[in-house]
Amino acid sequence: MPHSPSPVGDSPAARPGRRVGEQDAPAPPAAPLDGDRAPRGAGGSRDAPPGPSALFPSGSVPQIVGVHLHLERDGKVLLGLRHPDSAYAGGLWHFLAGHCETESATACLVREAYEEAGLVVDPADLDLVHVVHLLHRPGVPPRVQLFFRARRWEGVPELREPDKCAAWRWWDPKGLPDALVPYARAAIEGIGAGRPYTETGWSR
């Protein structure tokens, strides 16, 4: 905030009780107001953002979290056919899925269900039924893939993002398509067998 100019006659010599030539002691720095404190960076500076060492424990590797909607109707599971030009798994069948942003896993899945297929899902109706810890190849971030079964939902699957999904179809788990994302197949088999967890892509 800019300072107002000193009033006329406010020189050091004009102040009562002051000797000519006596200098003011430096004023202490003003304390910041509540809410005006910037977070300290890794080096203690309030201007620098925290570095990786401040965000992750030493030796750890960030994991990408994916969420998948497992819908069952009359014993069949809903899968979407990825558009041939899709950035991932073009031409393959896959779950309705997405990656978590700055949100909880269930909030992400509720959002993706509506954005991709027009389905309305209550987070309270989601049950975690399987986890796949996936490594596509060395040198890329590992992924933790979460599969949630919805006990109920509203709506019928729509093609709301045709550049990503070309079709929705209900598949019998015993007659899945050959062109299916491999870890999705592993998850369906694991869910059917009652297994909660699968690892794929990791060297033993």
Side-chain angles (χ1 to χ4, degrees), residues 65-69 82 95-101 103-121 126 158 160-161 164-165 168:
V65 178
V67 293
H68 305 70
L69 184 61
R82 303 290 296 174
F95 282 93
L96 188 159
H99 295 118
C100 289
E101 300 174 4
E103 58 194 339
S104 69
T106 54
C108 175
L109 192 53
V110 167
R111 173 179 59 79
E112 292 286 356
Y114 185 75
E115 291 177 355
E116 291 189 22
L119 301 174
V120 178
V121 180
L126 294 173
E158 306 170 11
R160 302 192 68 179
E161 294 182 337
K164 298 179 181 178
C165 181
W168 295 109

Side-chain angles (χ1 to χ4, degrees), residues 28-193:
L33 300 175
D34 290 343
D36 193 36
R37 297 181 183 271
R40 290 188 180 275
S45 170
R46 294 190 184 278
D47 296 326
S53 61
L55 298 175
F56 304 105
S58 176
S60 67
V61 176
Q63 314 273 312
I64 297 173
V65 178
V67 293
H68 305 70
L69 184 61
H70 187 275
L71 293 186
E72 293 179 352
R73 187 187 71 179
D74 300 327
K76 297 182 178 180
V77 60
L78 181 67
L79 298 174
L81 179 62
R82 303 290 296 174
H83 191 280
D85 297 329
S86 176
Y88 173 72
L92 300 182
W93 292 88
H94 195 29
F95 282 93
L96 188 159
H99 295 118
C100 289
E101 300 174 4
T102 308
E103 58 194 339
S104 69
T106 54
C108 175
L109 192 53
V110 167
R111 173 179 59 79
E112 292 286 356
Y114 185 75
E115 291 177 355
E116 291 189 22
L119 301 174
V120 178
V121 180
D122 188 328
D125 291 327
L126 294 173
D127 296 321
L128 181 64
V129 291
H130 201 75
V131 177
V132 175
H133 198 196
L134 171 67
L135 183 65
H136 282 299
R137 61 182 183 276
V140 301
R143 296 171 184 262
V144 178
Q145 309 286 25
L146 308 178
F147 293 80
F148 292 89
R149 176 187 286 127
R151 295 189 297 274
R152 61 183 66 86
W153 66 91
E154 296 180 9
V156 295
E158 306 170 11
L159 295 175
R160 302 192 68 179
E161 294 182 337
D163 58 323
K164 298 179 181 178
C165 181
W168 295 109
R169 179 174 169 183
W170 299 91
W171 289 87
D172 187 328
K174 297 180 180 179
L176 296 172
D178 292 334
L180 176 62
V181 171
Y183 82 83
R185 184 186 301 277
I188 293 173
E189 293 174 352
I191 293 170

